[in-house]
Amino acid sequence: MEYGRRRALLRIRGRSIAWLPPLLLLVGVIMLDLSTSEDFRIISWIVLVPGIAAAICGVWTTAAYSVLSLVAYGAVESAWPDQYRAGFGNFLLVTFGGLLATLAAVVRVRQERQVLHIRDIAETTRRTVLRPLPARWGGLEHAGVYLAADTDARVGGDFYDIQPGPHGTRLLVGDVQGKGLGAVEAAAALLGTFREAGYHEPDLATVAARLETRMLRHRGHRAALGHHDGDRFATAVLIAFPEDTPEAIELVNFGHEPPFAVGPRGLRELPSGDGVPLGFGDLAGGLPPVHRVALAVDETLLLVTDGVTEARDGSGAFYPLAADLARAIADDPCRAEPRLLVRRVRDGVLRHSRGRLEDDTTVFAVRRAEHAVGEPPERGRLRA
């Protein structure tokens, strides 16, 4: 992240100006040394030029500044009488300083390439777990934002996806317990199962059972490999948008934050997490029930992870999500549009926490769309 900011600061209209600060320092040292008396010789400060170049320029540019500094040192030294010259010791200082600066540039550039490679891997992982979705997909209009608590990681245990199919469109939003690659692997496993079961299974309860089984199998596989993740679990909300009931949805809540229905008439909270998280179904004696909930065509479904509801300000107070949304909708009912709703929650969380997120944060909003692309295929027809 710091590398990206530094590169942005050293560019003007897309062109790099990293070479400029060392050049200005080189000219400044030369001019100052020539314009002062023999009692104030600072030509040896020219060793700072390749040092600055090593921090912000490439290897060859740093090497060029090392040679240029040595040549400039010799030229300025020869302009002074013998009794006022800095001496051979300072010449060696500039020589070895340039060599060390070039070596430092080599190490820095290699490290930056490794960082960029790791970021590419993280971006690929993020796009695998949180695959890009068309703005209108499966008869739904949606918007979402994911903010990682670790800004360099770009991916964590939060996940969401929409899966159209012959039995209607299904939606899954969840949060895997813990952090790191273990949480990412669990999220990827659950999403893979959801994408298959959500397409093929006609009953939402069966999709929920498949997700529970996948969590248990994944946990057992990790344990067999010697990865001690403990009893990793995931909270989630599984939702179906039946084709035959356009003003209702089916909902299964695995101990997740309760969704909100937001519309011109205000907001209301949908059934909360009346079941245990995924992976703990055997402890509760069964899976959470399937709720059928009314959802008007002009209402937007808002789902968040606990990174939103547990965001704190400087005094430790939680972000008042419901109150903030109620005020926003009262002021402007059009804010129930998914894109505006997600932006409102995202900005509210960042403003409340002053940008210091303690947990991964996901905000996802969705509503039915009358003319959406990517409609579910005809019943019985498989989609590639």
Side-chain angles (χ1 to χ4, degrees), residues 206-255:
T206 305
V207 180
R210 292 276 300 274
L211 290 171
E212 171 69 17
T213 302
R214 187 67 183 96
M215 190 71 221
L216 294 175
R217 290 176 55 205
H218 176 77
R219 205 161 62 192
H221 178 258
R222 293 279 295 177
L225 291 175
H227 300 293
H228 302 291
D229 295 339
D231 293 330
R232 190 183 296 278
F233 60 89
T235 65
V237 179
L238 176 64
I239 297 173
F241 293 83
E243 296 176 318
D244 56 349
T245 53
E247 293 192 353
I249 60 173
E250 294 179 346
L251 182 151
V252 181
N253 194 322
F254 294 93

Side-chain angles (χ1 to χ4, degrees), residues 251-270:
L251 182 151
V252 181
N253 194 322
F254 294 93
H256 197 75
E257 302 290 330
F260 286 97
V262 186
R265 294 169 297 281
L267 77 158
R268 53 192 176 89
E269 186 176 295
L270 300 187

Side-chain angles (χ1 to χ4, degrees), residues 10-22:
L10 295 174
R11 285 185 175 274
I12 294 181
R13 295 181 179 178
R15 295 189 176 184
S16 174
I17 58 166
W19 54 269
L20 185 57

Side-chain angles (χ1 to χ4, degrees), residues 22-23 25-27 29 45-54 65-66 69 101:
L23 180 61
L25 180 60
L26 176 69
V27 174
V29 170
W45 290 14
I46 209 169
V47 73
L48 298 175
V49 172
I52 296 296
Y65 271 117
S66 298
S69 297

Side-chain angles (χ1 to χ4, degrees), residues 93-139:
L93 173 66
V94 175
T95 301
F96 285 109
L99 290 174
L100 291 175
T102 303
L103 290 175
V106 171
V107 173
R108 194 204 88 235
V109 169
R110 286 181 178 176
Q111 290 179 340
E112 288 180 350
R113 286 175 179 170
Q114 290 177 350
V115 169
L116 289 175
H117 182 60
I118 292 172
R119 290 182 64 182
D120 287 342
I121 294 174
E123 181 66 18
T124 302
T125 303
R126 185 188 68 84
R127 293 176 68 87
T128 301
V129 176
L130 302 178
R131 62 177 180 176
L133 296 171
R136 292 189 175 188
W137 181 240

Side-chain angles (χ1 to χ4, degrees), residues 55-362:
I56 59 177
C57 298
V59 175
W60 290 109
T61 304
T62 302
Y65 271 117
S66 298
V67 173
L68 185 60
S69 297
L70 194 59
V71 171
Y73 177 88
V76 173
E77 275 286 271
S78 63
W80 288 88
D82 292 341
Q83 64 270 30
Y84 300 129
R85 292 181 180 178
F88 184 69
N90 285 342
F91 175 80
L92 290 178
L93 173 66
V94 175
T95 301
F96 285 109
L99 290 174
L100 291 175
T102 303
L103 290 175
V106 171
V107 173
R108 194 204 88 235
V109 169
R110 286 181 178 176
Q111 290 179 340
E112 288 180 350
R113 286 175 179 170
Q114 290 177 350
V115 169
L116 289 175
H117 182 60
I118 292 172
R119 290 182 64 182
D120 287 342
I121 294 174
E123 181 66 18
T124 302
T125 303
R126 185 188 68 84
R127 293 176 68 87
T128 301
V129 176
L130 302 178
R131 62 177 180 176
L133 296 171
R136 292 189 175 188
W137 181 240
L140 303 177
E141 178 186 357
H142 72 89
V145 64
Y146 170 79
L147 303 173
D150 181 357
T151 54
D152 289 330
R154 293 190 171 192
V155 66
D158 288 6
F159 57 91
Y160 58 83
D161 201 5
I162 296 174
Q163 182 57 57
H167 309 290
T169 300
R170 274 74 183 266
L171 164 68
L172 180 67
V173 176
D175 179 10
V176 175
Q177 171 263 335
K179 297 181 180 296
L181 290 178
V184 175
E185 289 180 12
L190 289 172
L191 284 173
T193 297
F194 166 72
R195 289 162 186 165
E196 290 302 311
Y199 179 87
H200 291 288
E201 299 294 345
D203 184 36
L204 192 66
T206 305
V207 180
R210 292 276 300 274
L211 290 171
E212 171 69 17
T213 302
R214 187 67 183 96
M215 190 71 221
L216 294 175
R217 290 176 55 205
H218 176 77
R219 205 161 62 192
H221 178 258
R222 293 279 295 177
L225 291 175
H227 300 293
H228 302 291
D229 295 339
D231 293 330
R232 190 183 296 278
F233 60 89
T235 65
V237 179
L238 176 64
I239 297 173
F241 293 83
E243 296 176 318
D244 56 349
T245 53
E247 293 192 353
I249 60 173
E250 294 179 346
L251 182 151
V252 181
N253 194 322
F254 294 93
H256 197 75
E257 302 290 330
F260 286 97
V262 186
R265 294 169 297 281
L267 77 158
R268 53 192 176 89
E269 186 176 295
L270 300 187
S272 60
D274 49 4
V276 294
L278 287 166
F280 289 161
D282 53 341
L283 301 179
L287 298 176
V290 177
H291 296 278
R292 180 171 285 265
V293 182
L295 185 71
V297 293
D298 59 353
E299 286 186 309
T300 298
L301 197 61
L302 176 69
L303 303 103
V304 301
T305 58
D306 56 8
V308 173
T309 56
E310 295 181 4
R312 298 174 182 264
D313 61 10
S315 64
F318 291 115
Y319 171 58
L321 173 62
D324 190 28
L325 286 179
R327 286 194 302 269
I329 299 302
D331 294 340
D332 182 7
C334 292
R335 288 187 179 273
E337 179 188 348
R339 179 177 55 87
L340 297 179
L341 196 59
V342 167
R343 183 185 301 171
R344 171 75 184 199
V345 177
R346 179 202 63 188
D347 294 347
V349 169
L350 292 176
R351 182 172 57 251
H352 183 80
S353 63
R354 298 182 180 180
R356 295 188 296 270
L357 300 176
E358 299 296 331
D359 196 2
D360 296 336
T361 300
T362 295

